[in-house]
Amino acid sequence: MALDPETREQLISSVARFVRERLVPIEDQVSREDRIPDAIIQEMRELGLFGLSIPAEYGGLGLNMEEEALVLFELCQTSPAFRSAIGTNIGIGSQGLVMFGREDQKDYWLPKIASGETIASFCLTEPGAGSDAASLRTTAIRDGNVYVVNGTKRFITNAAKAGAFTLMARTNPDRKGAGGISAFFVPSNLKGITVGKSERKMGQQGAHIHDVIFENCEVPAECLIGEREGEGFKLAMQVLDRGRIHIAAVCTGVAERLVRDSTLYALEREQFGDKIANFQMVQAMLADSKMEAYAMRCMVQETARKRDAGENIAMEASCCKLFASEAVGRIADRNVQIHGGAGYVSDYAAERFYRDVRIFRLYEGTSQIQQTVIAKNMLRNAG
Ligand code: COS
C-alpha cells in the first residue's frame, strides 16, 4: 500500500533527522565497541523501522518497495551496521512469511516482527552451499507431527538475537537440487538449536553473523511455510529477488553519504596554495562518484516501481545489486583517494566505509551470481 505523499515525506524526514542527530555521532563508537547501544535499538523500534515492509494489518508500516527504498536511501547515510539491525526483520528474515505464509503463521509472527520484539533471521547458506544454494544439505525429515532437522547454517546475520529463523532444509533427501527443499519458520528456542560465536569480520562492526546448528531438532510440522513441501528454493529465490533491490538501495544511501564526505573534504583540504576541490583531477573523481550514485538511485527506483506494479524483476534486481555494490566500492575507494593519507587512518570515516562496503559484492549473491542471473534471463527471453 502506498503512503500519502505527506506521510511519506514525514517518515523520510524523521529518518533523516534520526540518522543525522543520533546515528552519525556514534558511528565510531559502534565500530570500536562492535555494539549498537540498546537505547538506539529502542529508538529504531519507536520509529517503526523494524516493521517498514510488514503489511499494516499485521502492525507494520506496510511500505511498498519504492517507499522502502526511499527510507533506506536516508537510513544508510551512516554506517551500514545500523541498517543490519533491522535488515533481516524487514527483508530476508520475514518476507518468506509475508509472501507465502499461512494466515495463522502471519497472525502470530508478523506483529512481533514489525514491533522488533522478535528478530527474524534467514538460514539458507551452509558451509558447503553458498553460491550454489540448491546444494544445501540440512535435512528436515518428517516424523509424525514434527520434522527432525539436522545441519549447519553459516554466516547468519542477527542469529544470536533471533527469536525465529526462516530455514531452508531438504525434506526429500533423495531429490537433489532445488526440488527437495522446503522452507520453515522456526522459533529459535527449540531444543537442538545452538548459535555459534560471533565471527570477526572485515567491516560493519556492530552487525553480527553466526553459525546456527540444528541437531535432531524437532520442528513442529505447522512451521512449514505454506501448505506444501518442495517450495522452499523458489521461496528463497523470490525473497532474494526482493532482497537484492533492498541491498542496492542500501548501497545507494552509503554512496550518497560518501559523495558528500568526498565533496566536503575536497572543499576543506588545501594543497599547492588552493583547495583541492579546485583541481580538475579531484573534480573528475567527484564527478564519477556523483554520476554513479545518481545512476544507482535511478535504477533502484525504477526496479522497485516495477516490482510494486507486479512485474517479474528477477533480472532487474540483479542488475541493481550488481551495479550498486560494485559502484559503491569504487566510490568508497575514490573517497579514500580524495582524503589522501588521511583516508588510510581510522580517525576519518573513509577508512571504515572502505571496509564496510566490501561485503555488498558478496552477500545476497556475489557479483558473479548476479551476472549469471542476468545472463540466464537474457538468454531465456531471447529464446
Ligand atoms: N524466482 C522464482 N523461481 C526461481 C527463481 C526466481 N528468482 N530463480 C530460480 N527459480 C526456480 C527455477 O525456475 C527452477 O524451478 P523449476 O525447477 O521448477 O524449473 C528452480 O528455481 C531452480 O532454478 P535454477 O535451475 O536456476 O537454480 P540453480 O541451482 O541453477 O541456481 C542461482 C540459481 C545461482 C541463481 C541461485 O542458486 C542463487 O541465487 N545463488 C546465490 C544464493 C545467494 O544469493 N546466497 C546468498 C545468501 S543468502 S543472504
Side-chain angles (χ1 to χ4, degrees):
M1 183 189 65
L3 296 178
D4 67 80
E6 199 184 327
T7 314
R8 173 165 151 160
E9 276 323 301
Q10 270 173 6
L11 174 66
I12 290 169
S13 63
S14 22
V15 171
R17 190 170 347 104
F18 176 62
V19 167
R20 209 169 44 242
E21 293 175 3
R22 304 289 291 139
L23 304 188
V24 172
I26 60 163
E27 284 174 357
D28 193 43
Q29 173 199 329
V30 166
S31 170
R32 271 186 286 106
E33 296 176 359
D34 193 16
R35 183 171 181 280
I36 300 174
D38 293 342
I40 294 290
I41 298 290
Q42 183 54 30
E43 286 178 56
M44 289 173 144
R45 286 200 188 101
E46 284 159 16
L47 270 169
L49 295 180
F50 283 91
L52 290 176
S53 63
I54 308 296
E57 63 264 40
Y58 303 104
L61 294 186
L63 303 192
N64 62 26
M65 195 71 231
E66 187 189 4
E67 291 162 342
E68 181 180 323
L70 291 171
V71 171
L72 290 168
F73 293 161
E74 297 304 325
L75 182 66
C76 297
Q77 310 248 344
T78 180
S79 297
F82 292 114
R83 187 288 316 182
S84 204
I86 62 151
T88 54
N89 271 38
I90 64 173
I92 54 178
S94 70
Q95 291 301 310
L97 208 53
V98 171
M99 290 190 241
F100 300 100
R102 297 186 314 270
E103 224 23 72
D104 59 300
Q105 293 176 309
K106 298 205 254 190
D107 278 343
Y108 182 77
W109 285 110
L110 292 180
K112 297 180 174 56
I113 294 172
S115 67
E117 176 191 337
T118 295
I119 299 297
S121 292
F122 183 69
C123 292
L124 174 65
T125 300
E126 297 182 359
S131 290
D132 184 7
S135 71
L136 65 83
R137 284 160 62 175
T138 295
T139 50
I141 306 300
R142 183 80 190 239
D143 181 9
N145 288 333
V146 298
Y147 287 89
V148 180
V149 178
N150 279 288
T152 298
K153 296 293 177 176
R154 180 139 294 171
F155 305 147
I156 307 305
T157 302
N158 292 331
K161 295 201 175 75
F165 301 113
T166 296
L167 167 73
M168 266 54 66
R170 199 167 285 288
T171 38
N172 184 352
D174 298 332
R175 200 151 166 212
K176 303 291 167 224
I181 297 170
S182 302
F184 298 86
F185 201 79
V186 180
S188 64
N189 61 359
L190 295 181
K191 207 163 147 260
I193 300 180
T194 321
V195 175
K197 67 174 176 22
S198 174
E199 302 290 347
R200 292 178 59 209
K201 312 190 268 48
M202 179 189 286
Q204 297 208 20
Q205 275 67 34
H208 302 121
I209 55 173
H210 307 256
D211 277 1
V212 181
I213 302 126
F214 295 84
E215 279 171 301
N216 292 323
C217 174
E218 295 190 358
V219 172
E222 63 264 25
C223 294
L224 181 76
I225 299 181
E227 308 283 355
R228 286 205 312 268
E229 293 181 5
E231 310 270 299
F233 188 76
K234 287 184 191 170
L235 173 146
M237 289 300 113
Q238 289 186 41
V239 167
L240 286 171
D241 286 344
R242 188 183 183 289
R244 288 164 185 166
I245 307 176
H246 173 107
I247 295 295
V250 172
C251 294
T252 306
V254 174
E256 291 179 354
R257 157 69 183 271
L258 296 179
V259 169
R260 195 170 59 246
D261 282 4
S262 293
T263 310
L264 292 177
Y265 189 78
L267 283 167
E268 169 196 313
R269 173 78 173 159
E270 293 190 0
Q271 286 293 280
F272 303 103
D274 201 357
K275 293 182 194 314
I276 64 168
N278 289 328
F279 300 135
Q280 287 187 335
M281 278 187 263
V282 172
Q283 290 178 357
M285 287 192 276
L286 291 175
D288 282 353
S289 291
K290 178 70 192 174
M291 167 190 72
E292 290 185 325
Y294 182 49
M296 287 155 81
R297 183 178 266 263
C298 294
M299 284 175 89
V300 169
Q301 282 190 282
E302 168 77 2
T303 305
R305 280 186 203 124
K306 280 189 180 173
R307 187 182 185 282
D308 290 336
E311 293 182 37
N312 179 346
I313 46 69
M315 179 173 70
E316 289 82 354
S318 282
C319 289
C320 289
K321 162 70 163 63
L322 175 60
F323 182 77
S325 61
E326 294 282 336
V328 75
R330 291 189 292 271
I331 291 169
D333 187 69
R334 284 187 209 107
N335 186 44
V336 170
Q337 196 67 17
I338 289 166
H339 280 72
Y344 196 70
V345 297
S346 309
D347 295 351
Y348 287 83
E351 182 268 346
R352 173 164 36 78
F353 274 107
Y354 182 78
R355 290 183 286 104
D356 283 350
V357 301
R358 188 62 182 83
I359 187 62
F360 295 137
R361 290 154 63 189
L362 302 172
Y363 65 13
E364 301 205 19
T366 61
S367 291
Q368 290 67 34
I369 288 296
Q370 309 310 330
Q371 288 171 319
T372 306
V373 172
I374 295 164
K376 255 191 189 179
N377 278 279
M378 288 168 67
L379 299 175
R380 189 182 315 120
N381 295 346

